[in-house]
């Protein structure tokens, strides 16, 4: 029987990572997840500080949604119409059709354990 190293973000914690299938086969994938969670944490804090009456659960949900869709949010800063439902589907299809360029980060998928 062989030994396999698995990686997860400390922000998730081992139990939560195992429950939510957030255990990865490479450190780079776990680092990408950790960066996503760091962005969501900072964004949640920003939202709670600046949006009077916003509860932490809602701020958590909104910040995670924005962090998970950060590429779309970047595009929306210059072209807001990309956020319409029709355009989101088109953008996803275009992104999937593009060949991966050297150095371009791939979407991180969890490894099933």
């Amino acid at each position: 029987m062989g030994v396999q190293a698995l990686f997860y973000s400390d922000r998730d914690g081992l139990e939560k990572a195992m429950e939510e299938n957030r255990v990865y086969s490479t450190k780079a994938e776990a680092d990408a997840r950790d960066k996503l969670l760091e962005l969501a944490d900072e964004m949640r804090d920003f939202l709670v500080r600046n949006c009077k009456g916003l509860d932490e659960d809602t701020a958590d949900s909104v910040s995670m949604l924005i962090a998970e869709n950060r590429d779309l949010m970047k595009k929306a800063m210059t072209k807001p119409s990309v956020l319409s439902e029709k355009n989101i589907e088109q953008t996803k299809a275009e992104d999937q059709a593009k060949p991966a360029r050297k150095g371009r980060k791939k979407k991180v998928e969890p490894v099933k354990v």
Side-chain angles (χ1 to χ4, degrees):
M1 178 171 11
V3 176
Q4 182 179 6
L6 298 174
F7 301 89
Y8 66 95
S9 170
D10 284 341
R11 293 176 197 271
D12 278 332
L14 181 58
E15 287 183 27
K16 185 177 178 184
M18 296 296 283
E19 287 173 11
E20 295 180 5
N21 198 27
R22 300 281 185 198
V23 179
Y24 305 95
S25 60
T26 67
K27 184 178 183 313
E29 291 171 322
D31 284 341
R33 171 72 179 168
D34 191 61
K35 285 181 183 180
L36 176 106
L37 293 174
E38 180 181 12
L39 174 60
D41 285 347
E42 294 296 328
M43 199 170 301
R44 180 198 60 234
D45 294 344
F46 174 82
L47 291 170
V48 169
R49 277 193 321 268
N50 293 289
C51 297
K52 302 292 183 217
L54 183 66
D55 65 277
E56 286 204 27
D57 288 339
T58 304
D60 277 340
S61 298
V62 171
S63 64
M64 194 61 159
L65 175 68
I66 293 170
E68 288 172 340
N69 293 283
R70 66 183 171 268
D71 292 336
L72 181 62
M73 295 294 121
K74 285 179 190 176
K75 289 179 185 178
M77 295 298 162
T78 57
K79 187 177 178 185
S81 64
V82 299
L83 295 176
S84 73
E85 192 171 324
K86 179 181 115 183
N87 289 333
I88 289 174
E89 294 303 318
Q90 181 179 354
T91 302
K92 284 182 183 177
E94 289 171 0
D95 288 346
Q96 289 174 351
K98 288 181 186 176
R101 287 184 262 159
K102 189 174 183 176
R104 186 175 178 181
K105 293 183 180 179
K106 296 180 182 177
K107 183 178 178 184
V108 177
E109 294 292 330
V111 175
K112 293 187 179 184
V113 180

